[in-house]
Amino acid sequence: MPALVLLGAQWGDEGKGKATDLLGGSVDYVVRYQGGNNAGHTVVVGDQKYALHLLPSGILSPECTPVIGNGVVVNPEVLLSELSGLEERSIDTSKLLLSGNAHLITSYHETVDKVAERFLGKRKIGTTGRGIGPTYADKINRVGIRVQDLFDESILRQKVEAALEHRNQILAKLYNRRAIAVGQVVEELLGYAQRIEGYVCDTTLVLNDAIDEGKVVLFEGGQGTLLDVDHGTYPFVTSSNPTAGGACTGAGVGPTKIDRVIGILKAYTTRVGAGPFPTELLDEDGEALRRIGGEFGVTTGRDRRCGWFDAVIARYATRVNGLTDFFLTKLDVLTGWDRIPVCVAYEVDGKRVEEMPYNQSDFHHAVPVYEYLPGWAEDITGAKTFEDLPKNAQAYVKALEEMSGAPISAIGVGPGRDETIQIRSFL
């Protein structure tokens, strides 16, 4: 039985929640391995819509154990609020497991994030302001606060003092903000300890034992490949590794235990926040994609920037993640176009480039080279098999598969849980 990684193959918002939820009934564990509540998954179950930000999508599947791994940064207030919201809708959250090694987002991380972004002005990154970056920075600087620190007040106080010694200097001298009191932060964090303690365990032990016992474990990435801090469009990236390698470090599972890596690929392209975007549409087509596709951030509410499908990015995602499969989402959104442009290469300084430029300046100035595929007008939301799709829709999927370098094993034809065509099993 496999251990699978499921991740975004573009800039995030590709529909990972739908894909994870589709597999949730067949897997034993679903694991978030990086990011924090800057990510967002929308899952539609019947006539119910669930917006998840920190929790793994598998929490909606009764037989599945959801896990928040050590690579995630956790805002305890958000975690408890999200759990309460699901419990009010009669969702059982008691099986959640939380790594004691995960780092905590505190109020001072959020403060630093917001004031730093304002300070950058025109050079701002486009962060969500939720304290993600400063928390990861403290982790790397070895002044971070971990979940397990909540259960030893002496250690917690020492660590908060160490972190604020540096942070308060920056707040007061650089940003002209009031220093944050150590006691206030410690008291706030201790208030979460009792409510969180029941979820905390050694998740790396649990997950490795589960894989050794033949259980199916699904590792779920937040954000997307092009937002990876190492492999994305730096500096317009997140502060962690949503690529496949991040699953190993962010969950404590060795690479030899991963069997398949599934990339979620939207039938067009979107991104949120600042940064280069070669196929971005600033016209009626872009607005139509945004309106029909409901392209508004689950976490931020911000309009997503929309553009045509970019095969260069898809090939790059296949390469850096070692993708074995694609899940193509939102094919239904393209219904109604007479012809659909697909970016097959870039033009950089007059030269055709078919692979992702390693130089950020080249990527920033890349001009998309399009091929045009015939569109379709038929409603595809009721399609149950690949053969049910209109011929032009079938041809579009096949063309994207050939350009992207990995087989498309499932297709989303609508927002509902059951509006998916499964071509090949992921398990």
Side-chain angles (χ1 to χ4, degrees):
M1 301 292 283
L4 311 94
V5 179
L6 190 146
L7 51 85
Q10 295 157 317
W11 274 287
D13 306 310
E14 301 94 346
K16 292 181 293 295
K18 176 181 173 65
T20 307
D21 185 63
L22 175 71
L23 290 162
S26 304
V27 303
D28 299 295
Y29 294 82
V30 174
V31 187
R32 273 289 303 274
Y33 60 84
Q34 52 76 222
N37 58 302
N38 56 339
H41 301 317
T42 299
V43 180
V44 179
V45 183
D47 60 352
Q48 296 292 310
K49 181 181 288 188
Y50 299 89
L52 304 176
H53 305 282
L54 183 58
L55 294 171
S57 301
I59 200 162
L60 299 176
S61 299
E63 303 304 318
C64 182
T65 299
V67 180
I68 296 176
N70 57 275
V72 179
V73 289
V74 177
N75 184 317
E77 181 180 4
V78 171
L79 174 62
L80 292 168
S81 175
E82 199 164 330
L83 288 169
S84 296
L86 290 179
E87 288 162 3
E88 289 172 3
R89 299 174 70 177
S90 301
I91 301 296
D92 180 17
T93 64
S94 62
K95 296 176 71 175
L96 175 69
L97 301 179
L98 171 62
S99 172
N101 288 341
H103 280 246
L104 291 173
I105 300 171
T106 71
S107 54
Y108 60 80
H109 290 124
E110 293 180 289
T111 298
V112 169
D113 199 0
K114 291 171 183 175
V115 298
E117 186 77 348
R118 285 197 294 269
F119 183 79
L120 287 172
K122 293 181 180 180
R123 294 179 291 112
K124 65 182 180 181
I125 302 299
T127 76
T128 59
R130 285 164 167 77
I132 309 298
T135 305
Y136 277 116
D138 278 3
K139 176 180 178 177
I140 298 304
N141 287 327
R142 291 163 292 190
V143 291
I145 313 298
R146 298 195 293 180
V147 170
Q148 61 177 280
D149 297 331
L150 294 177
F151 314 119
D152 188 319
E153 183 175 351
S154 176
I155 288 178
L156 177 63
R157 185 172 296 275
Q158 291 176 46
K159 289 194 171 185
V160 172
E161 285 176 350
L164 285 180
E165 184 176 0
H166 173 69
R167 288 295 186 193
N168 277 334
Q169 292 289 325
I170 293 175
L171 284 171
K173 296 182 179 179
L174 181 60
Y175 300 126
N176 196 30
R177 295 292 295 263
R178 185 185 307 169
I180 297 170
V182 171
Q184 176 185 337
V185 175
V186 171
E187 182 180 355
E188 178 186 340
L189 291 174
L190 287 175
Y192 301 120
Q194 187 174 358
R195 288 181 286 168
I196 284 178
E197 189 171 13
Y199 299 110
V200 180
C201 70
D202 183 351
T203 55
T204 62
L205 178 62
V206 171
L207 294 173
N208 278 279
D209 284 349
I211 294 171
D212 291 343
E213 292 168 7
K215 302 288 180 63
V216 180
V217 179
L218 178 65
F219 300 91
E220 173 188 64
Q223 292 87 36
T225 296
L226 273 296
L227 291 178
D228 187 281
V229 69
D230 288 294
H231 303 292
T233 50
Y234 192 89
F236 304 100
V237 293
T238 193
S239 301
S240 58
N241 294 107
T243 44
C248 297
T249 55
V253 173
T256 56
K257 294 192 175 183
I258 304 296
D259 297 281
R260 301 182 77 167
V261 183
I262 304 162
I264 313 303
L265 199 60
K266 198 176 286 185
Y268 48 101
T269 312
T270 63
R271 80 169 297 175
V272 172
F277 183 178
T279 68
E280 183 174 13
L281 297 169
L282 302 174
D283 57 12
E284 293 180 357
D285 283 333
E287 183 54 41
L289 287 174
R290 183 179 300 111
R291 174 176 49 82
I292 299 169
E295 297 298 349
F296 308 96
V298 177
T299 297
T300 64
R302 292 182 291 183
D303 289 358
R304 293 176 186 148
R305 300 158 63 190
C306 296
W308 298 121
F309 184 86
D310 189 330
V312 180
I313 286 173
R315 287 194 291 273
Y316 178 73
T318 301
R319 171 159 52 91
V320 299
N321 291 297
L323 296 179
T324 60
D325 303 82
F326 277 117
F327 188 132
L328 185 70
T329 63
K330 290 198 168 184
L331 184 64
D332 54 299
V333 174
L334 296 180
T335 298
W337 269 271
D338 292 332
R339 63 175 192 165
I340 305 170
V342 173
C343 173
V344 297
Y346 301 143
E347 186 177 285
V348 180
D349 293 334
K351 297 180 181 178
R352 182 184 173 104
V353 175
E354 297 193 355
E355 296 295 341
M356 184 82 168
Y358 82 91
N359 184 296
Q360 63 183 9
S361 296
D362 286 349
F363 186 68
H364 183 79
H365 294 104
V367 177
V369 177
Y370 287 116
E371 288 186 4
Y372 295 86
L373 301 178
W376 61 92
E378 301 92 329
D379 180 8
I380 66 171
T381 56
K384 301 299 181 185
T385 68
F386 185 71
E387 290 71 26
D388 290 340
L389 293 174
K391 294 298 182 184
N392 285 351
Q394 293 183 34
Y396 184 80
V397 173
K398 290 177 179 176
L400 264 53
E401 181 178 71
E402 183 176 345
M403 295 174 188
S404 301
I408 293 175
S409 297
I411 305 167
V413 293
R417 195 177 204 178
D418 58 344
E419 292 176 324
T420 300
I421 296 171
Q422 188 91 32
I423 300 173
R424 304 172 191 85
S425 173
F426 293 130
L427 301 175

